[in-house]
Amino acid sequence: MWFRPDGSGTAVEEARPMGEPMPPFDLSNTEFWTSLLVALVGGGGVGAIIGAISSRRKDTADIAAKACDILTDSVIKPLREQVESQEEQIQHLEVQQRKYFALAEYTRRLFHWLGQFCEITDPAFLARHPKPSLPDELRGDIMPESFDKEGQ
């Protein structure tokens, strides 16, 4: 830099000789900073930076959504299928249990009927062949009304 010969005191840049190349980034040059600022603001550099930051956040959200989908598909979905399968098994077992109770009730009534029949046809039959007692471990299933009375 040099000052004008007229003494005005303003600085003027020294002209470079024709053969000397200009350095690519002269950080002390105000024109460089002005050009850089104009390029960033006018050329979309700030928008690109903001876009990159928001894209990174969007990528993070996409990654979280994919992780949630993977978790749903690999963990939660099989658990739901298992629960549905168990519900079907429970319903099947409840149907079987109702059939068992109906069969036990029918068998009990049938044997009471046979006991009465034996008393009518041969009254001494029951004296010779007493009715077997109901085992205690079956009493709650076969005859729940007596279990409730005796259990209290």
Side-chain angles (χ1 to χ4, degrees):
M1 291 220 184
W2 56 276
F3 292 98
R4 294 180 186 246
D6 61 0
S8 64
T10 58
V12 177
E13 282 193 30
E14 192 175 313
R16 296 195 193 285
M18 286 297 279
E20 188 179 326
M22 186 171 156
F25 298 108
D26 185 10
L27 299 179
S28 64
N29 190 349
T30 57
E31 288 179 15
F32 169 77
W33 290 109
T34 305
S35 298
L36 180 67
L37 183 63
V38 169
L40 285 175
V41 174
V46 173
I49 292 171
I50 292 171
I53 292 171
S54 66
S55 174
R56 186 173 295 157
R57 287 183 183 164
K58 183 180 177 189
D59 290 344
T60 305
D62 289 343
I63 291 169
K66 287 178 185 176
C68 185
D69 290 343
I70 290 170
L71 179 67
T72 300
D73 290 342
S74 65
V75 176
I76 296 173
K77 187 176 178 183
L79 287 175
R80 284 184 181 154
E81 291 172 357
Q82 183 179 6
V83 167
E84 290 171 2
S85 173
Q86 288 176 346
E87 286 175 353
E88 291 173 4
Q89 291 174 355
I90 289 170
Q91 290 173 356
H92 173 73
L93 291 173
E94 286 174 346
V95 167
Q96 295 301 318
Q97 184 181 34
R98 283 191 292 274
K99 287 181 183 179
Y100 167 77
F101 286 154
L103 179 63
E105 183 180 347
Y106 170 75
T107 305
R108 186 168 173 249
R109 286 183 182 181
L110 178 66
F111 285 123
H112 281 287
W113 178 80
L114 283 173
Q116 291 174 355
F117 180 75
C118 289
E119 286 178 5
I120 294 171
T121 57
D122 185 10
F125 178 81
L126 289 176
R128 289 189 315 262
H129 306 285
K131 179 178 143 186
S133 62
L134 183 64
D136 288 337
E137 58 261 359
L138 295 178
R139 189 168 302 281
D141 293 329
I142 303 297
M143 206 170 142
E145 66 275 0
S146 69
F147 183 74
D148 290 338
K149 291 177 187 173
E150 292 175 7
Q152 292 179 350

